[in-house]
Amino acid sequence: MSYFLPCLYAFIACVGFDFLYNIRGRRLVTTSLGGALGWFVYLSCYWFDNDIPRYFLATVAISIYAEIMARVDKVPVIVYLITAILPLVPGGGMYYTMEYWLMGDASAFAEKGSQTMMIAGAIALAVVLVSSLVRMWKTMRRLRYLKHIGKQLH
Amino acid sequence: MNDWYQQLLNQAVNVGYALLANGAEIYRVEESIQRILLAYGVKGAEVFAIPTCITTTVFNENNEAITQIRRLYQKTTNFDTVEQVNDLCRHICQDKPDPAWIESELQRIAQRPIYPLKWLIFGYAVASFGFTLFFGGSLSDAFCALVLGIIIRLVATAMESLATNAFFINVVNSGIIALIALGTVHFSLAQSADKIIIGALMLLVPGVAITNSIRDVIAGDLVAGLMRMTEALMVATAIAVGAGGALTISQYLWGG
């Protein structure tokens, strides 16, 4: 239950961003559900003492959701992906990094900056991982299908 | 015959341009153009896209190269268009329609509705409201952020109509956010200024851009990735300049 409100807030924020991306109709709900799902996974993985794997796993969940929904809804995966990763992306981290830089606080800048890049990297890696696996799976199915056709012809 | 190649190239690049200008990934732009060209049975096609430019070469039957460079200046994120153009692209590859038909289809897609300003303002308000709560702000903080969301959209629209660049708009908007957030906390209308600031700033900060840039780099689009990263860092710098300036000013106005 303690997870419900944060996920709801993530959902609301995602709905707002859908208007910026010209996403319409029932997709306002389905894309934003991905954002809530990602934050739910992030919160559920509380046993990690490091943030990075939590971001990674949350993004893996979002990517799988996006791949499935993109096929159900017949849209490019990016439509579901971008809205859903919004609550995870380190916008605040970017801001603080640049603020430390402008204030001349070199050590805080380096620390915040590397943490921000790690989070962004973990999210990007998770997205690429899932999309690569899906692509491999699709290729494998096509190859098997071609083999099957080939056998029938012989 | 070269006329036909010219027309085909024009329309293929138009499709890619529509994708790129509305926020599709680099690989999707390159793949779409190449697939369309190859679907029509050309001898060869090479595409190179970066976030600001598309270069396409098509080879005719005499192995003569016809090249087109299309520069992109203005970019939005419109996933409705991306989806429609993506559908169109798939359809083109299957049915190989007349290039003139592709042009009319692209025009039809360009005329599809986008949210009018009042709904955009609504989106800004809801997003900053949601993010302030999401980052742990109280309800009064969230309503303060909601108002800020409306204000920065109006300011951005006004400044865009005066042909200001994005850097300056971000400086002004983040300054407004920080100044008003600190002001409301000073007059006890809200509790925590940093929650309001970061919640409303989520509308401006390039979190998705930095993530996408790393994605591009991992996928092998190194130039595109570096360009987007530079872009994201510039946006973050603009926001930090604006907010930093506002924090200094507010110390004089409201004493911290």
Side-chain angles (χ1 to χ4, degrees):
Chain A
M1 195 55 207
S2 62
Y3 292 174
F4 177 71
L5 277 180
C7 292
L8 177 71
Y9 297 151
F11 180 85
I12 293 172
C14 288
V15 171
F17 261 93
D18 277 346
F19 284 92
L20 276 61
Y21 296 155
N22 201 23
I23 294 173
R24 289 163 173 275
R26 68 193 150 76
R27 262 178 224 148
L28 283 172
V29 177
T30 50
T31 52
S32 305
L33 274 178
L37 170 78
W39 197 246
F40 179 76
V41 172
Y42 176 88
L43 290 174
S44 316
C45 300
Y46 55 85
W47 60 83
F48 288 108
D49 44 356
N50 187 342
D51 259 4
I52 309 297
R54 295 172 75 184
Y55 281 107
F56 182 80
L57 288 176
T59 313
V60 167
I62 289 172
S63 298
I64 294 170
Y65 175 79
E67 293 279 350
I68 294 169
M69 286 311 289
R71 273 161 191 75
V72 172
D73 217 0
K74 297 199 170 53
V75 292
V77 179
I78 188 175
V79 175
Y80 276 90
L81 200 60
I82 296 297
T83 316
I85 61 171
L86 270 168
L88 298 174
V89 292
M94 286 285 287
Y95 165 70
Y96 287 123
T97 306
M98 284 301 150
E99 200 187 4
Y100 290 138
W101 179 55
L102 289 172
M103 292 190 317
D105 191 342
S107 64
F109 164 72
E111 194 188 324
K112 198 79 196 167
S114 65
Q115 195 208 358
T116 303
M117 291 311 279
M118 292 273 269
I119 294 172
I123 295 171
L125 206 62
V127 170
V128 173
L129 177 79
V130 172
S131 69
S132 306
L133 286 178
V134 168
R135 202 167 256 228
M136 276 164 70
W137 179 66
K138 268 175 20 191
T139 315
M140 222 157 71
R141 267 206 337 187
R142 201 173 60 231
L143 288 178
R144 206 177 290 162
Y145 177 71
L146 286 176
K147 223 184 219 168
H148 176 72
I149 300 264
K151 258 183 206 155
Q152 280 189 337
L153 286 176
H154 277 297
Chain B
M1 200 55 198
N2 266 355
D3 234 29
W4 182 81
Y5 278 100
Q6 201 70 59
Q7 255 198 341
L8 176 64
L9 181 62
N10 267 340
Q11 295 317 321
V13 176
N14 276 345
V15 170
Y17 185 87
L19 284 172
L20 191 62
N22 288 295
E25 311 96 309
I26 295 293
Y27 82 85
R28 189 182 299 282
V29 175
E30 290 183 346
E31 266 184 23
S32 299
I33 297 177
Q34 192 159 36
R35 274 195 195 156
I36 290 174
L37 291 172
L38 293 178
Y40 282 85
V42 302
K43 260 195 155 172
E46 297 287 341
V47 188
F48 176 65
I50 52 173
T52 53
C53 186
I54 306 175
T55 312
T56 313
T57 294
V58 62
F59 295 95
N60 69 10
E61 65 268 39
N62 305 324
N63 264 334
E64 289 164 344
I66 306 170
T67 299
Q68 191 169 111
I69 294 172
R70 193 75 62 88
R71 180 83 164 80
L72 182 91
Y73 293 97
Q74 276 219 322
K75 218 173 182 173
T76 55
T77 309
N78 182 343
F79 285 142
D80 180 61
T81 306
V82 171
E83 175 213 334
Q84 292 286 321
V85 177
N86 196 53
D87 274 357
L88 173 68
C89 179
R90 198 173 304 155
H91 181 73
I92 293 169
C93 292
Q94 268 173 12
D95 300 343
K96 306 180 201 56
D98 193 55
W101 181 83
I102 301 175
E103 192 169 12
S104 70
E105 233 4 52
L106 280 173
Q107 268 167 10
R108 181 187 65 78
I109 291 171
Q111 275 157 10
R112 279 174 68 85
I114 54 169
Y115 283 115
L117 183 62
K118 62 176 180 195
W119 282 109
L120 267 185
I121 292 173
F122 176 76
Y124 267 71
V126 170
S128 57
F129 177 82
F131 269 120
T132 303
L133 288 173
F134 180 73
F135 289 125
S138 66
L139 210 58
S140 52
D141 294 345
F143 278 110
C144 175
L146 187 146
V147 176
L148 279 172
I150 297 170
I151 292 173
I152 59 174
R153 181 62 250 177
L154 288 174
V155 171
T157 309
M159 288 179 79
E160 272 162 20
S161 67
L162 299 174
T164 333
N165 62 10
F167 188 87
F168 194 52
I169 294 178
N170 280 327
V171 171
V172 170
N173 265 339
S174 59
I176 290 173
I177 290 173
L179 209 57
I180 295 183
L182 289 166
T184 51
V185 172
H186 180 74
F187 293 111
S188 314
L189 295 169
Q191 280 83 48
S192 44
D194 57 329
K195 301 285 190 324
I196 304 171
I197 292 177
I198 211 66
L201 276 183
M202 276 305 281
L203 291 161
L204 308 175
V205 290
V208 174
I210 198 85
T211 310
N212 276 343
S213 78
I214 298 178
R215 235 174 98 195
D216 282 334
V217 171
I218 297 175
D221 294 322
L222 299 178
V223 181
L226 286 177
M227 283 179 78
R228 281 193 215 224
M229 192 160 317
T230 314
E231 206 185 347
L233 287 175
M234 283 315 290
V235 175
T237 310
I239 292 167
V241 168
L247 290 177
T248 317
I249 294 170
S250 76
Q251 269 175 357
Y252 292 111
L253 278 179
W254 295 306

